[in-house]
Amino acid sequence: MKRQLIRHIIQGVLFVLTLVFIYFSYTGILATVHSVCPNAVVCFGLPGIINKFYAFVPALLVGLAILLSSMFFGRWFCGYVCFFGTLQEKSFQAFSKKKKLKEKMSHYYEKKLSITKYLILIFTMISAIFFSIHFYHKFCPVIVITSLNHISWQGIIIVVVFTIVAFFSSRFWCRFLCPYGALMNLFQYFGKLLRVPRLKIFRNLELCVDCNLCNRSCPMNISISDKEVIDDVNCIHCGECIAHCPKNKGLLEKFPNKKS
């Protein structure tokens, strides 16, 4: 529970700081959010980044640091830092408790639909390389909440749909649509090829009572109870499965070959 409390505090602090940054961006006191957004290259395209390279150095460094860290710690960024990830998580938790929702998609369809985010990643990469600058602005949800000058009806529709779905489905954007999440997954696969030790969830088979609370509590709908080592690249290391496990040390989060 202590770990979860720390995570919620980190999420809350960063969420508020993001809102403050957005406000100062509106007023012109600070640079635009894109100056530190790890996915900025998608919105502005390679020509835009090259023409104003120094303005985007922080964003490029932040993006690279997150991607490289995902090779060791998985999608921790989604579970602790991401503004949209936190917004989705809290929205679903509040609404699901009120309406007593127990939404869980079958893992078969989960895997099928998860391919969508890789297709979106391919589209965004192609648009960044070949299309004009600001092409992605029409679709970027960040633009809708940070820049009235570039707001579009496409972006408004995406944010409205995104917000509504967040109330009914746990982290829908993270699971199926986020291109940056897909990119972090690819870096994890790359790290696996290089045999980089990555933080994983380990299930103690001797202690497990097959209550499936870990499965039901996972916001990314990962099948935890079916494996001894949960190495799913979609894991955001939120620790919800560990917190809900009725057995002490029934689930452990650690690096491979590291003693608990």
Side-chain angles (χ1 to χ4, degrees), residues 169-221:
S169 182
S170 173
R171 285 184 174 263
F172 190 87
W173 173 270
C174 304
R175 287 156 56 198
F176 304 120
L177 303 177
C178 182
Y180 196 69
L183 190 57
M184 282 189 279
N185 287 359
L186 293 180
F187 265 74
Q188 291 183 70
Y189 286 125
F190 182 63
K192 186 176 182 179
L193 291 176
L194 297 178
R195 297 185 178 181
V196 174
R198 176 164 56 87
L199 192 65
K200 299 176 182 178
I201 304 294
F202 289 78
R203 185 167 66 97
N204 191 321
L205 300 181
E206 295 181 357
L207 295 177
C208 182
V209 294
D210 297 319
C211 62
N212 289 320
L213 286 177
C214 53
N215 290 344
R216 292 198 290 270
S217 63
C218 178
M220 297 297 285
N221 197 21

Short mmCIF file of all heavy atoms in Angstrom, two decimals, residues 169-221:
data_model
loop_
_atom_site.label_atom_id
_atom_site.label_comp_id
_atom_site.label_asym_id
_atom_site.label_seq_id
_atom_site.Cartn_x
_atom_site.Cartn_y
_atom_site.Cartn_z
N SER A 169 -13.86 2.36 -20.11
CA SER A 169 -12.83 1.35 -20.39
C SER A 169 -11.50 1.78 -19.77
O SER A 169 -11.04 2.90 -19.99
CB SER A 169 -12.67 1.16 -21.90
OG SER A 169 -11.72 0.16 -22.20
N SER A 170 -10.89 0.90 -19.02
CA SER A 170 -9.65 1.22 -18.33
C SER A 170 -8.49 1.46 -19.29
O SER A 170 -8.13 0.59 -20.07
CB SER A 170 -9.29 0.06 -17.38
OG SER A 170 -8.03 0.25 -16.80
N ARG A 171 -7.95 2.68 -19.27
CA ARG A 171 -6.78 3.05 -20.07
C ARG A 171 -6.89 2.60 -21.53
O ARG A 171 -5.97 2.00 -22.09
CB ARG A 171 -5.50 2.48 -19.43
CG ARG A 171 -5.05 3.26 -18.19
CD ARG A 171 -3.75 2.73 -17.64
NE ARG A 171 -3.25 3.55 -16.54
CZ ARG A 171 -2.34 4.50 -16.68
NH1 ARG A 171 -1.81 4.75 -17.87
NH2 ARG A 171 -1.92 5.21 -15.64
N PHE A 172 -8.01 2.90 -22.14
CA PHE A 172 -8.25 2.50 -23.53
C PHE A 172 -7.19 3.08 -24.46
O PHE A 172 -6.70 2.39 -25.36
CB PHE A 172 -9.65 2.97 -23.96
CG PHE A 172 -10.10 2.42 -25.29
CD1 PHE A 172 -10.75 1.19 -25.36
CD2 PHE A 172 -9.87 3.12 -26.47
CE1 PHE A 172 -11.17 0.67 -26.58
CE2 PHE A 172 -10.28 2.61 -27.68
CZ PHE A 172 -10.93 1.39 -27.74
N TRP A 173 -6.85 4.35 -24.27
CA TRP A 173 -5.84 4.99 -25.12
C TRP A 173 -4.49 4.28 -24.97
O TRP A 173 -3.81 4.00 -25.97
CB TRP A 173 -5.71 6.47 -24.74
CG TRP A 173 -4.60 7.20 -25.44
CD1 TRP A 173 -3.32 7.34 -25.01
CD2 TRP A 173 -4.67 7.88 -26.70
NE1 TRP A 173 -2.57 8.06 -25.91
CE2 TRP A 173 -3.38 8.41 -26.96
CE3 TRP A 173 -5.71 8.10 -27.62
CZ2 TRP A 173 -3.09 9.14 -28.11
CZ3 TRP A 173 -5.41 8.84 -28.76
CH2 TRP A 173 -4.12 9.34 -29.00
N CYS A 174 -4.09 3.98 -23.74
CA CYS A 174 -2.80 3.32 -23.49
C CYS A 174 -2.76 1.94 -24.12
O CYS A 174 -1.72 1.52 -24.64
CB CYS A 174 -2.55 3.20 -21.99
SG CYS A 174 -2.59 4.75 -21.08
N ARG A 175 -3.85 1.23 -24.04
CA ARG A 175 -3.88 -0.16 -24.49
C ARG A 175 -3.95 -0.29 -26.01
O ARG A 175 -3.33 -1.19 -26.58
CB ARG A 175 -5.08 -0.88 -23.87
CG ARG A 175 -4.92 -1.17 -22.39
CD ARG A 175 -6.25 -1.32 -21.69
NE ARG A 175 -7.11 -2.33 -22.28
CZ ARG A 175 -8.42 -2.41 -22.08
NH1 ARG A 175 -9.03 -1.51 -21.30
NH2 ARG A 175 -9.13 -3.37 -22.64
N PHE A 176 -4.70 0.60 -26.66
CA PHE A 176 -4.99 0.38 -28.08
C PHE A 176 -4.57 1.49 -29.04
O PHE A 176 -4.43 1.23 -30.24
CB PHE A 176 -6.50 0.16 -28.26
CG PHE A 176 -7.04 -0.96 -27.44
CD1 PHE A 176 -8.04 -0.72 -26.50
CD2 PHE A 176 -6.56 -2.25 -27.56
CE1 PHE A 176 -8.54 -1.75 -25.73
CE2 PHE A 176 -7.06 -3.29 -26.79
CZ PHE A 176 -8.05 -3.04 -25.86
N LEU A 177 -4.37 2.72 -28.57
CA LEU A 177 -4.21 3.83 -29.50
C LEU A 177 -2.89 4.60 -29.40
O LEU A 177 -2.49 5.22 -30.38
CB LEU A 177 -5.38 4.82 -29.31
CG LEU A 177 -6.79 4.26 -29.49
CD1 LEU A 177 -7.83 5.33 -29.21
CD2 LEU A 177 -6.97 3.70 -30.89
N CYS A 178 -2.24 4.58 -28.27
CA CYS A 178 -1.08 5.46 -28.06
C CYS A 178 0.13 5.03 -28.90
O CYS A 178 0.71 3.97 -28.67
CB CYS A 178 -0.69 5.48 -26.58
SG CYS A 178 0.71 6.57 -26.25
N PRO A 179 0.56 5.86 -29.85
CA PRO A 179 1.72 5.51 -30.67
C PRO A 179 3.02 5.53 -29.89
O PRO A 179 3.93 4.76 -30.18
CB PRO A 179 1.71 6.60 -31.77
CG PRO A 179 0.99 7.75 -31.15
CD PRO A 179 -0.05 7.14 -30.26
N TYR A 180 3.10 6.39 -28.88
CA TYR A 180 4.32 6.44 -28.08
C TYR A 180 4.43 5.19 -27.20
O TYR A 180 5.52 4.69 -26.96
CB TYR A 180 4.34 7.70 -27.21
CG TYR A 180 5.72 8.01 -26.67
CD1 TYR A 180 6.73 8.43 -27.53
CD2 TYR A 180 6.00 7.87 -25.32
CE1 TYR A 180 8.00 8.69 -27.04
CE2 TYR A 180 7.26 8.14 -24.83
CZ TYR A 180 8.26 8.55 -25.69
OH TYR A 180 9.52 8.82 -25.21
N GLY A 181 3.27 4.68 -26.74
CA GLY A 181 3.26 3.43 -26.00
C GLY A 181 3.75 2.28 -26.87
O GLY A 181 4.51 1.42 -26.42
N ALA A 182 3.33 2.29 -28.14
CA ALA A 182 3.77 1.26 -29.08
C ALA A 182 5.28 1.36 -29.29
O ALA A 182 5.97 0.33 -29.39
CB ALA A 182 3.04 1.44 -30.41
N LEU A 183 5.79 2.58 -29.36
CA LEU A 183 7.23 2.78 -29.55
C LEU A 183 8.01 2.27 -28.34
O LEU A 183 9.08 1.66 -28.49
CB LEU A 183 7.52 4.26 -29.79
CG LEU A 183 8.94 4.62 -30.26
CD1 LEU A 183 9.29 3.87 -31.53
CD2 LEU A 183 9.05 6.12 -30.49
N MET A 184 7.50 2.52 -27.14
CA MET A 184 8.14 1.99 -25.94
C MET A 184 8.14 0.47 -25.95
O MET A 184 9.11 -0.17 -25.52
CB MET A 184 7.44 2.52 -24.68
CG MET A 184 7.79 3.95 -24.33
SD MET A 184 7.14 4.48 -22.71
CE MET A 184 5.45 4.87 -23.18
N ASN A 185 7.06 -0.12 -26.44
CA ASN A 185 7.00 -1.58 -26.55
C ASN A 185 8.08 -2.10 -27.48
O ASN A 185 8.74 -3.11 -27.20
CB ASN A 185 5.63 -2.01 -27.06
CG ASN A 185 4.54 -1.87 -26.00
OD1 ASN A 185 4.82 -1.47 -24.88
ND2 ASN A 185 3.32 -2.19 -26.36
N LEU A 186 8.28 -1.41 -28.62
CA LEU A 186 9.30 -1.83 -29.58
C LEU A 186 10.69 -1.74 -28.98
O LEU A 186 11.54 -2.60 -29.23
CB LEU A 186 9.21 -0.97 -30.85
CG LEU A 186 7.94 -1.14 -31.69
CD1 LEU A 186 7.99 -0.23 -32.91
CD2 LEU A 186 7.77 -2.59 -32.13
N PHE A 187 10.92 -0.72 -28.17
CA PHE A 187 12.22 -0.60 -27.50
C PHE A 187 12.42 -1.72 -26.49
O PHE A 187 13.55 -2.19 -26.28
CB PHE A 187 12.33 0.77 -26.82
CG PHE A 187 13.02 1.80 -27.66
CD1 PHE A 187 12.38 2.37 -28.74
CD2 PHE A 187 14.33 2.18 -27.40
CE1 PHE A 187 13.00 3.32 -29.54
CE2 PHE A 187 14.97 3.12 -28.18
CZ PHE A 187 14.31 3.70 -29.27
N GLN A 188 11.34 -2.20 -25.89
CA GLN A 188 11.45 -3.33 -24.97
C GLN A 188 11.82 -4.60 -25.73
O GLN A 188 12.64 -5.39 -25.25
CB GLN A 188 10.13 -3.52 -24.22
CG GLN A 188 9.82 -2.42 -23.22
CD GLN A 188 8.54 -2.70 -22.45
OE1 GLN A 188 8.48 -3.61 -21.62
NE2 GLN A 188 7.52 -1.91 -22.72
N TYR A 189 11.20 -4.79 -26.89
CA TYR A 189 11.54 -5.94 -27.73
C TYR A 189 13.00 -5.86 -28.16
O TYR A 189 13.72 -6.87 -28.19
CB TYR A 189 10.64 -5.99 -28.96
CG TYR A 189 9.23 -6.44 -28.67
CD1 TYR A 189 8.14 -5.67 -29.04
CD2 TYR A 189 8.98 -7.66 -28.02
CE1 TYR A 189 6.83 -6.07 -28.78
CE2 TYR A 189 7.68 -8.08 -27.76
CZ TYR A 189 6.61 -7.28 -28.14
OH TYR A 189 5.32 -7.69 -27.87
N PHE A 190 13.45 -4.65 -28.51
CA PHE A 190 14.83 -4.44 -28.90
C PHE A 190 15.77 -4.75 -27.73
O PHE A 190 16.82 -5.38 -27.91
CB PHE A 190 15.04 -2.99 -29.37
CG PHE A 190 16.43 -2.69 -29.84
CD1 PHE A 190 16.97 -3.34 -30.94
CD2 PHE A 190 17.21 -1.76 -29.17
CE1 PHE A 190 18.27 -3.07 -31.36
CE2 PHE A 190 18.50 -1.48 -29.58
CZ PHE A 190 19.04 -2.14 -30.69
N GLY A 191 15.38 -4.32 -26.54
CA GLY A 191 16.16 -4.61 -25.36
C GLY A 191 16.25 -6.10 -25.08
O GLY A 191 17.28 -6.61 -24.63
N LYS A 192 15.17 -6.80 -25.37
CA LYS A 192 15.15 -8.25 -25.19
C LYS A 192 16.14 -8.93 -26.12
O LYS A 192 16.83 -9.89 -25.73
CB LYS A 192 13.74 -8.79 -25.43
CG LYS A 192 13.57 -10.27 -25.13
CD LYS A 192 12.13 -10.72 -25.30
CE LYS A 192 11.96 -12.18 -24.94
NZ LYS A 192 10.54 -12.62 -25.09
N LEU A 193 16.23 -8.44 -27.36
CA LEU A 193 17.20 -8.99 -28.31
C LEU A 193 18.63 -8.77 -27.83
O LEU A 193 19.51 -9.60 -28.06
CB LEU A 193 17.01 -8.34 -29.68
CG LEU A 193 15.72 -8.69 -30.44
CD1 LEU A 193 15.64 -7.89 -31.73
CD2 LEU A 193 15.67 -10.18 -30.74
N LEU A 194 18.85 -7.64 -27.15
CA LEU A 194 20.18 -7.33 -26.63
C LEU A 194 20.41 -7.95 -25.25
O LEU A 194 21.46 -7.74 -24.64
CB LEU A 194 20.35 -5.80 -26.53
CG LEU A 194 20.29 -5.02 -27.84
CD1 LEU A 194 20.42 -3.53 -27.57
CD2 LEU A 194 21.38 -5.49 -28.80
N ARG A 195 19.39 -8.69 -24.76
CA ARG A 195 19.45 -9.34 -23.45
C ARG A 195 19.60 -8.34 -22.31
O ARG A 195 20.35 -8.58 -21.35
CB ARG A 195 20.56 -10.38 -23.42
CG ARG A 195 20.34 -11.52 -24.41
CD ARG A 195 21.38 -12.61 -24.27
NE ARG A 195 21.12 -13.72 -25.19
CZ ARG A 195 21.87 -14.82 -25.28
NH1 ARG A 195 22.92 -14.96 -24.46
NH2 ARG A 195 21.57 -15.76 -26.14
N VAL A 196 18.91 -7.23 -22.44
CA VAL A 196 18.91 -6.22 -21.38
C VAL A 196 17.97 -6.69 -20.27
O VAL A 196 16.81 -7.02 -20.54
CB VAL A 196 18.44 -4.85 -21.92
CG1 VAL A 196 18.30 -3.84 -20.78
CG2 VAL A 196 19.41 -4.34 -22.98
N PRO A 197 18.42 -6.76 -19.03
CA PRO A 197 17.53 -7.19 -17.92
C PRO A 197 16.42 -6.17 -17.70
O PRO A 197 16.69 -4.98 -17.53
CB PRO A 197 18.48 -7.27 -16.72
CG PRO A 197 19.59 -6.32 -17.05
CD PRO A 197 19.77 -6.42 -18.54
N ARG A 198 15.18 -6.64 -17.72
CA ARG A 198 14.04 -5.72 -17.58
C ARG A 198 13.22 -6.08 -16.35
O ARG A 198 13.03 -7.24 -16.02
CB ARG A 198 13.17 -5.77 -18.85
CG ARG A 198 11.92 -4.92 -18.77
CD ARG A 198 11.33 -4.70 -20.16
NE ARG A 198 11.05 -5.91 -20.88
CZ ARG A 198 9.90 -6.61 -20.78
NH1 ARG A 198 8.94 -6.18 -19.98
NH2 ARG A 198 9.71 -7.70 -21.49
N LEU A 199 12.72 -5.06 -15.68
CA LEU A 199 11.88 -5.23 -14.51
C LEU A 199 10.60 -5.99 -14.88
O LEU A 199 9.93 -5.64 -15.85
CB LEU A 199 11.51 -3.87 -13.93
CG LEU A 199 10.86 -3.82 -12.55
CD1 LEU A 199 11.84 -4.30 -11.49
CD2 LEU A 199 10.40 -2.40 -12.24
N LYS A 200 10.30 -7.05 -14.12
CA LYS A 200 9.14 -7.88 -14.43
C LYS A 200 8.38 -8.27 -13.16
O LYS A 200 8.89 -8.12 -12.05
CB LYS A 200 9.58 -9.15 -15.17
CG LYS A 200 10.28 -8.90 -16.50
CD LYS A 200 10.78 -10.19 -17.13
CE LYS A 200 11.51 -9.92 -18.44
NZ LYS A 200 12.03 -11.18 -19.04
N ILE A 201 7.18 -8.78 -13.36
CA ILE A 201 6.36 -9.29 -12.25
C ILE A 201 6.54 -10.80 -12.19
O ILE A 201 6.39 -11.49 -13.20
CB ILE A 201 4.87 -8.95 -12.44
CG1 ILE A 201 4.67 -7.45 -12.60
CG2 ILE A 201 4.05 -9.48 -11.26
CD1 ILE A 201 5.01 -6.64 -11.38
N PHE A 202 6.84 -11.32 -11.01
CA PHE A 202 7.01 -12.76 -10.82
C PHE A 202 5.90 -13.28 -9.89
O PHE A 202 5.67 -12.72 -8.82
CB PHE A 202 8.37 -13.07 -10.22
CG PHE A 202 9.52 -12.84 -11.16
CD1 PHE A 202 9.98 -11.56 -11.40
CD2 PHE A 202 10.13 -13.91 -11.81
CE1 PHE A 202 11.04 -11.34 -12.28
CE2 PHE A 202 11.18 -13.70 -12.69
CZ PHE A 202 11.64 -12.41 -12.93
N ARG A 203 5.25 -14.35 -10.31
CA ARG A 203 4.16 -14.93 -9.51
C ARG A 203 4.67 -16.14 -8.75
O ARG A 203 5.25 -17.05 -9.36
CB ARG A 203 3.00 -15.32 -10.43
CG ARG A 203 1.76 -15.82 -9.70
CD ARG A 203 0.57 -15.89 -10.65
NE ARG A 203 0.73 -16.88 -11.69
CZ ARG A 203 0.23 -18.12 -11.65
NH1 ARG A 203 -0.48 -18.51 -10.60
NH2 ARG A 203 0.42 -18.95 -12.64
N ASN A 204 4.47 -16.17 -7.46
CA ASN A 204 4.87 -17.29 -6.63
C ASN A 204 3.82 -18.39 -6.74
O ASN A 204 2.72 -18.28 -6.18
CB ASN A 204 5.03 -16.85 -5.17
CG ASN A 204 5.70 -17.91 -4.31
OD1 ASN A 204 5.44 -19.10 -4.46
ND2 ASN A 204 6.57 -17.47 -3.40
N LEU A 205 4.14 -19.44 -7.48
CA LEU A 205 3.17 -20.50 -7.74
C LEU A 205 2.77 -21.25 -6.47
O LEU A 205 1.65 -21.77 -6.38
CB LEU A 205 3.76 -21.50 -8.76
CG LEU A 205 4.13 -20.92 -10.13
CD1 LEU A 205 4.68 -22.01 -11.04
CD2 LEU A 205 2.92 -20.26 -10.79
N GLU A 206 3.64 -21.30 -5.50
CA GLU A 206 3.34 -22.02 -4.25
C GLU A 206 2.34 -21.25 -3.39
O GLU A 206 1.56 -21.86 -2.64
CB GLU A 206 4.63 -22.27 -3.46
CG GLU A 206 5.60 -23.20 -4.18
CD GLU A 206 6.86 -23.44 -3.36
OE1 GLU A 206 6.98 -22.84 -2.27
OE2 GLU A 206 7.70 -24.24 -3.81
N LEU A 207 2.37 -19.94 -3.48
CA LEU A 207 1.47 -19.12 -2.66
C LEU A 207 0.16 -18.78 -3.37
O LEU A 207 -0.83 -18.46 -2.71
CB LEU A 207 2.18 -17.81 -2.26
CG LEU A 207 3.39 -17.95 -1.33
CD1 LEU A 207 4.02 -16.58 -1.09
CD2 LEU A 207 2.99 -18.59 0.00
N CYS A 208 0.16 -18.82 -4.69
CA CYS A 208 -1.01 -18.41 -5.46
C CYS A 208 -2.23 -19.28 -5.16
O CYS A 208 -2.14 -20.52 -5.12
CB CYS A 208 -0.69 -18.48 -6.96
SG CYS A 208 -2.04 -17.92 -8.02
N VAL A 209 -3.38 -18.64 -4.93
CA VAL A 209 -4.62 -19.36 -4.63
C VAL A 209 -5.62 -19.25 -5.78
O VAL A 209 -6.79 -19.59 -5.63
CB VAL A 209 -5.26 -18.82 -3.33
CG1 VAL A 209 -4.38 -19.13 -2.14
CG2 VAL A 209 -5.52 -17.32 -3.43
N ASP A 210 -5.15 -18.75 -6.93
CA ASP A 210 -5.97 -18.65 -8.14
C ASP A 210 -7.26 -17.84 -7.92
O ASP A 210 -8.33 -18.21 -8.41
CB ASP A 210 -6.32 -20.04 -8.68
CG ASP A 210 -5.08 -20.82 -9.11
OD1 ASP A 210 -4.20 -20.20 -9.73
OD2 ASP A 210 -5.00 -22.03 -8.81
N CYS A 211 -7.14 -16.75 -7.19
CA CYS A 211 -8.32 -15.91 -6.94
C CYS A 211 -8.60 -14.95 -8.09
O CYS A 211 -9.67 -14.35 -8.17
CB CYS A 211 -8.12 -15.12 -5.65
SG CYS A 211 -6.72 -13.97 -5.70
N ASN A 212 -7.60 -14.77 -8.96
CA ASN A 212 -7.71 -13.89 -10.14
C ASN A 212 -7.90 -12.41 -9.80
O ASN A 212 -8.30 -11.63 -10.67
CB ASN A 212 -8.86 -14.34 -11.05
CG ASN A 212 -8.53 -15.64 -11.78
OD1 ASN A 212 -7.41 -15.84 -12.23
ND2 ASN A 212 -9.52 -16.52 -11.89
N LEU A 213 -7.62 -12.03 -8.57
CA LEU A 213 -7.71 -10.62 -8.21
C LEU A 213 -6.67 -9.79 -8.96
O LEU A 213 -6.89 -8.62 -9.26
CB LEU A 213 -7.52 -10.44 -6.70
CG LEU A 213 -8.69 -10.86 -5.81
CD1 LEU A 213 -8.32 -10.71 -4.34
CD2 LEU A 213 -9.92 -10.01 -6.13
N CYS A 214 -5.54 -10.41 -9.26
CA CYS A 214 -4.50 -9.71 -10.01
C CYS A 214 -4.99 -9.36 -11.41
O CYS A 214 -4.75 -8.25 -11.91
CB CYS A 214 -3.23 -10.55 -10.09
SG CYS A 214 -3.47 -12.24 -10.71
N ASN A 215 -5.68 -10.29 -12.05
CA ASN A 215 -6.22 -10.04 -13.39
C ASN A 215 -7.26 -8.93 -13.38
O ASN A 215 -7.26 -8.04 -14.22
CB ASN A 215 -6.85 -11.31 -13.96
CG ASN A 215 -5.82 -12.37 -14.30
OD1 ASN A 215 -4.63 -12.08 -14.39
ND2 ASN A 215 -6.27 -13.60 -14.47
N ARG A 216 -8.16 -9.00 -12.39
CA ARG A 216 -9.25 -8.03 -12.33
C ARG A 216 -8.77 -6.62 -11.97
O ARG A 216 -9.40 -5.63 -12.34
CB ARG A 216 -10.31 -8.50 -11.32
CG ARG A 216 -11.06 -9.75 -11.77
CD ARG A 216 -12.35 -9.91 -10.98
NE ARG A 216 -12.11 -10.27 -9.60
CZ ARG A 216 -12.02 -11.54 -9.16
NH1 ARG A 216 -12.15 -12.54 -10.02
NH2 ARG A 216 -11.82 -11.80 -7.88
N SER A 217 -7.65 -6.54 -11.27
CA SER A 217 -7.16 -5.23 -10.85
C SER A 217 -6.24 -4.57 -11.87
O SER A 217 -5.96 -3.38 -11.77
CB SER A 217 -6.42 -5.36 -9.51
OG SER A 217 -5.28 -6.19 -9.64
N CYS A 218 -5.77 -5.35 -12.83
CA CYS A 218 -4.80 -4.81 -13.81
C CYS A 218 -5.48 -3.82 -14.76
O CYS A 218 -6.39 -4.19 -15.51
CB CYS A 218 -4.16 -5.93 -14.63
SG CYS A 218 -3.01 -5.34 -15.88
N PRO A 219 -5.06 -2.55 -14.78
CA PRO A 219 -5.68 -1.55 -15.66
C PRO A 219 -5.36 -1.76 -17.13
O PRO A 219 -6.03 -1.21 -18.00
CB PRO A 219 -5.08 -0.23 -15.16
CG PRO A 219 -3.77 -0.61 -14.58
CD PRO A 219 -3.99 -1.96 -13.94
N MET A 220 -4.34 -2.58 -17.42
CA MET A 220 -3.96 -2.86 -18.81
C MET A 220 -4.50 -4.20 -19.29
O MET A 220 -4.17 -4.65 -20.38
CB MET A 220 -2.43 -2.83 -18.94
CG MET A 220 -1.81 -1.47 -18.64
SD MET A 220 -2.33 -0.18 -19.79
CE MET A 220 -1.37 -0.61 -21.25
N ASN A 221 -5.34 -4.83 -18.46
CA ASN A 221 -6.00 -6.08 -18.81
C ASN A 221 -5.01 -7.16 -19.24
O ASN A 221 -5.21 -7.86 -20.23
CB ASN A 221 -7.04 -5.86 -19.93
CG ASN A 221 -8.03 -7.01 -20.04
OD1 ASN A 221 -8.21 -7.78 -19.08
ND2 ASN A 221 -8.66 -7.15 -21.19
#
